[in-house]
Amino acid sequence: YTLSLHDALPISVTNPQEQVSAANTVTPEQIARIKSLLAETGQSQQRLTAFFRVNSLAEIKASDFSRVISTLESARRRAA
């Protein structure tokens, strides 16, 4: 029996625009977007993480990213 390196290594090709971490949390680019909106709106990171029941921005689920952005954009509109 011969095992080649090709057989032993799973290969996965992902689109960088659809990058999701192994834990299904937001990407560093998404965290940067959230931080930018936090700064624009004057909202606290602590309040946002409490609302989404996480300890840090890095723990926000990728599936919640659009909700986070919507929440912050609503706050931005209210502040304007």
Side-chain angles (χ1 to χ4, degrees):
Y1 180 79
T2 303
L3 178 66
S4 73
L5 189 55
H6 177 73
D7 295 331
L9 298 175
I11 296 175
S12 168
V13 178
T14 59
N15 180 343
Q17 293 175 342
E18 297 174 0
Q19 178 185 2
V20 176
S21 73
N24 271 343
T25 55
V26 291
T27 65
E29 293 81 11
Q30 290 171 320
I31 291 171
R33 173 77 174 127
I34 293 167
K35 286 182 176 181
S36 174
L37 282 171
L38 284 169
E40 286 179 37
T41 61
Q43 299 293 312
S44 79
Q45 181 174 324
Q46 182 178 7
R47 187 173 174 190
L48 182 74
T49 55
F51 181 79
F52 283 93
R53 296 185 173 144
V54 293
N55 295 317
S56 69
L57 296 179
E59 292 180 8
I60 294 173
K61 294 177 186 174
S63 60
D64 286 335
F65 178 71
S66 61
R67 282 186 46 224
V68 171
I69 297 303
S70 295
T71 300
L72 291 171
E73 288 179 343
S74 293
R76 182 171 56 183
R77 284 191 295 274
R78 284 192 307 271

